[in-house]
Amino acid sequence: MKNSEQLYKALSERILVLDGAMGTMLQRYKFEEEDYRGERFKDWEHPVKGNNDLLSLTQPHSIEEVHRKYLEAGADILETNTFSGTTIAMADYHMEDLVYELNYESAKIARKVCDEFTALNPDKPRFVAGSIGPTNRTASLSPDVNDPGYRAVTFEDLRMAYKQQCEALLDGGSDILLVETIFDTLNAKAALFAIDEIQEERGIEIPIMVSGTITDASGRTLSGQTAEAFLISVSHLNLLSVGFNCALGANQLTPYLETLAHNSEFHVSAYPNAGLPNAFGKYDETPEDMASQIKEYVEKGLINIIGGCCGTTPEHIKAIADLVEKYEPRKVNITI
């Protein structure tokens, strides 16, 4: 892939900055049902409000605007607006048939903006990471407490859904595939299996970022893995990076990043929330507070890629970008 060499070169020179939350930014637009529908879906038989991925088709200028703000704030890597872009997640809106188009168009929007910024400053190339969320089902756990052996989804269902999403993200211009917010490593393994199939079929090497989520103070993922077990579970592939995002604020994430940094041969990524949500589900942590906590990561040499998850804004990303440019990235012995 043409931008891979630039990507690895940039990672060897500096800490790369990932963008912040898409959902937080879209809330500012106060979109209603008709905004989500646009002209094309005005007669859709089912409610679509809340389907943020659909906005890449119905409000593409807003998605582009959010991307642009993050690049202006100093982001090196943009995530596509495709967190729920699988047939499994889109079934909630009866929009499974739109999955390829949603991912393809979302990647194209991010690609266009990244290319504009790279052209203005070729010494700071910008990269597109195709966002692959965990879906709303889990392959390891039963959703029915009375039937622990029941599964709402199979590995094969997940593999097929992820493969379709990944192919569209690549066709639309993604440089990286980002399997993120992993609460069930079996789901992630289905995504990684699909990506590996695509690598083989297309004869390419795809930079893959893998990002799990520690769901509570026990330091485990929802399906019960520790940070170390999670790392071992995904280390069979040659990954660009492994890391954690979401669920916790920057402070709470530090010990788990230390586990990854001390045990992994991959680059390490982190994009925590802006603290923990308050009683109203909002995130109160200021950009300055968040950056001061992330300072511990860079002083300890734990990370190569840093960004923000829930509650983060371009202001948060700017504070983080301003901080990390003064620090060296974590050392990785890597060959491509």
Side-chain angles (χ1 to χ4, degrees):
M1 295 177 70
K2 66 181 192 309
N3 289 342
S4 290
E5 283 184 32
Q6 279 188 308
L7 176 60
Y8 279 96
K9 181 173 184 290
L11 277 165
S12 71
E13 294 169 347
R14 55 199 170 88
I15 296 168
L16 296 192
V17 177
L18 190 69
D19 60 5
M22 176 61 77
T24 304
M25 293 298 288
L26 292 176
Q27 284 169 10
R28 295 181 176 184
Y29 290 88
K30 296 184 166 52
F31 288 136
E32 295 299 334
E33 180 73 28
E34 59 269 26
D35 303 305
Y36 277 89
R37 288 172 176 263
E39 186 61 29
R40 178 174 166 187
F41 301 101
K42 69 178 193 297
D43 298 323
W44 198 256
E45 292 178 3
H46 309 278
V48 295
K49 185 179 177 182
N51 185 356
N52 285 349
D53 295 28
L54 182 63
L55 295 171
S56 293
L57 303 184
T58 57
Q59 303 289 341
H61 297 300
S62 301
I63 302 300
E64 185 177 320
E65 190 173 58
V66 172
H67 284 329
R68 201 176 290 281
K69 284 178 176 167
Y70 279 125
L71 291 182
E72 286 167 352
D76 299 286
I77 303 171
L78 279 186
E79 284 192 61
T80 56
N81 179 41
T82 55
F83 187 80
S84 300
T86 56
T87 49
I88 293 168
M90 280 295 141
D92 288 355
Y93 304 97
H94 303 271
M95 287 184 157
E96 297 96 321
D97 291 346
L98 289 169
V99 161
Y100 184 91
E101 185 185 1
L102 283 171
N103 285 280
Y104 179 78
E105 292 300 330
S106 294
K108 273 182 66 178
I109 294 168
R111 176 82 274 151
K112 174 192 168 196
V113 186
C114 277
D115 288 349
E116 280 178 24
F117 276 74
T118 300
L120 290 171
N121 185 1
D123 292 336
K124 186 179 167 70
R126 313 298 179 100
F127 305 97
V128 177
S131 168
I132 301 159
T135 83
N136 48 5
R137 298 190 195 165
T138 168
S140 292
L141 302 168
S142 172
D144 182 353
V145 292
N146 297 313
D147 187 359
Y150 173 69
R151 296 292 180 269
V153 71
T154 68
F155 186 90
E156 182 61 11
D157 293 336
L158 289 162
R159 181 197 68 81
M160 289 170 60
Y162 283 131
K163 190 170 184 183
Q164 181 187 22
Q165 180 179 29
C166 292
E167 290 192 311
L169 287 169
L170 291 169
D171 293 348
S174 298
D175 303 302
I176 300 161
L177 290 179
L178 168 54
V179 183
E180 63 172 333
T181 322
I182 298 162
F183 59 79
D184 181 351
T185 307
L186 193 56
N187 285 36
K189 278 182 169 292
L192 295 172
F193 190 87
I195 294 168
D196 210 25
E197 279 188 320
I198 296 168
Q199 290 189 125
E200 201 168 313
E201 288 165 9
R202 298 193 179 195
I204 56 175
E205 280 194 34
I206 303 165
I208 307 165
M209 293 176 66
V210 168
S211 185
T213 187
I214 300 289
T215 51
D216 58 37
S218 72
R220 293 173 182 267
T221 65
L222 187 66
S223 56
Q225 285 191 311
T226 62
E228 203 160 14
F230 168 71
L231 173 63
I232 292 165
S233 295
V234 298
S235 291
H236 58 291
L237 275 183
N238 182 26
L239 303 176
L240 174 73
S241 69
V242 64
F244 290 116
N245 73 291
C246 202
L248 301 176
N251 261 359
Q252 294 91 348
L253 208 53
T254 307
Y256 313 118
L257 291 176
E258 287 178 327
T259 297
L260 296 185
H262 298 152
N263 293 289
S264 176
E265 295 174 9
F266 307 126
H267 297 97
V268 170
S269 71
Y271 47 116
N273 293 344
L276 297 175
N278 62 25
F280 304 101
K282 302 289 185 188
Y283 294 85
D284 300 325
E285 200 160 84
T286 66
E288 295 71 31
D289 285 344
M290 191 171 177
S292 71
Q293 291 171 32
I294 284 169
K295 191 173 184 184
E296 184 178 5
Y297 299 176
V298 290
E299 285 179 341
K300 289 182 172 179
L302 301 180
I303 54 164
N304 305 92
I305 301 169
I306 184 72
C309 205
C310 304
T312 57
T313 64
E315 293 75 25
H316 288 84
I317 296 306
K318 183 175 190 319
I320 291 166
D322 289 348
L323 167 76
V324 301
E325 70 178 0
K326 306 180 187 80
Y327 291 85
E328 293 289 311
R330 172 178 163 271
K331 292 285 172 270
V332 179
N333 297 318
I334 199 159
T335 55
I336 56 165

